[in-house]
Amino acid sequence: MNSVLEAKKRQEFQRSAKTELREEGNFPAVVYGKDMEAESVFVNEGDFIKVIKEVGRNGVISLAVDGKEHNVILHDYQQDPIKNYIVHADFLAVDLSSEITSNVRIDLEGEAAGAKEGGVVQQPLFELSVTAKVSEFPENLTVDVSHLNIGDSLSVGEIRGNHPFIINHEDDEVVVSILAPRVEEAAEDSNPEAAEEGREAETNTAQE
């Protein structure tokens, strides 16, 4: 069952009306889709945040516009960079059996074996473009890195078969890799007195 978010049609569009919405804890939005005309609405910010936490950024929401429900996803939203309140949101009405393409967050699971030995975890990709049915769209993509040793990496091609949706990236794109410890750090650790003398020399040179 989808989470329900109440919305009401906007009748006034002056600046003063938008200010009044904000003062009442609401913000303007628009809902549109393939088989419907765009409708200007407003929703309560607290209710909006609660629903997004329940369904996730790509989850399906039942948007009830004056009692009439639409299956929608949050297509886009704008947030005030200073005060962090929601300025505006776009809701896309969808058919649950249709496919959509959107970005999905990558979450690394487990501690890499190489990291336990001093290796550095490098993650070039934090999101992947995914195509899936609306009703099956993932909120995130979990990648297990616990088996990775120093020098190992995981590419898109190696994780593609673990998921039932389409990943819109090349097979050779690296998702995560385990790099060897920096040589300088290793040298300092093996000879701390030399490292300390080097730092003192740098300090004296700077003072001169």
Side-chain angles (χ1 to χ4, degrees):
M1 182 177 179
N2 300 334
S3 295
V4 177
L5 177 63
E6 297 289 338
K8 294 185 180 298
K9 291 184 180 180
R10 291 181 63 197
Q11 306 295 338
E12 303 292 337
F13 296 89
Q14 299 91 338
R15 183 183 296 272
S16 58
K18 186 179 293 185
T19 300
E20 185 176 349
L21 284 180
R22 166 52 43 198
E23 291 175 346
E24 295 175 350
N26 303 312
F27 64 87
V30 62
V31 53
Y32 56 90
K34 181 179 179 181
D35 299 319
M36 67 174 293
E37 293 185 4
E39 292 183 337
S40 295
V41 301
F42 66 88
V43 298
N44 179 267
E45 183 172 15
D47 293 341
F48 170 81
I49 293 173
K50 179 182 178 181
V51 168
I52 294 301
K53 286 183 178 179
E54 290 175 354
V55 305
R57 174 64 177 82
N58 297 311
V60 179
I61 303 168
S62 290
L63 187 69
V65 182
D66 292 339
K68 183 179 180 181
E69 293 191 8
H70 305 275
N71 288 319
V72 304
I73 58 173
L74 177 61
H75 184 258
D76 193 16
Y77 71 98
Q78 293 81 48
Q79 193 169 15
D80 186 277
I82 298 176
K83 298 183 179 180
N84 292 326
Y85 61 77
I86 307 298
V87 176
H88 188 274
D90 294 352
F91 295 103
L92 175 63
V94 292
D95 177 352
L96 296 184
S97 63
S98 65
E99 290 187 335
I100 60 171
T101 297
S102 186
N103 289 337
V104 174
R105 184 184 73 250
I106 300 173
D107 290 337
L108 303 185
E109 182 178 62
E111 182 180 5
K116 296 178 182 179
E117 299 174 356
V120 179
V121 178
Q122 185 178 60
Q123 186 178 356
L125 291 177
F126 289 90
E127 290 184 328
L128 288 177
S129 172
V130 167
T131 298
K133 288 184 178 181
V134 172
S135 59
E136 300 173 356
F137 204 90
E139 170 58 20
N140 64 310
L141 193 156
T142 301
V143 176
D144 182 14
V145 299
S146 60
H147 63 287
L148 296 181
N149 295 300
I150 293 175
D152 290 346
S153 63
L154 271 180
S155 65
V156 170
E158 292 173 288
I159 67 172
R160 189 186 300 279
N162 300 333
H163 304 282
F165 42 77
I166 298 172
I167 300 177
N168 305 305
H169 291 260
E170 297 297 327
D171 281 349
D172 60 357
E173 290 188 61
V174 175
V175 176
V176 59
S177 58
I178 311 300
L179 305 181
R182 293 178 57 185
V183 176
E184 294 84 349
E185 293 177 353
E188 289 185 7
D189 291 340
S190 62
N191 193 348
E193 293 182 359
E196 180 62 30
E197 290 177 0
R199 283 192 289 270
E200 290 179 358
E202 290 178 0
T203 301
N204 294 333
T205 302
Q207 291 176 346
E208 292 175 359

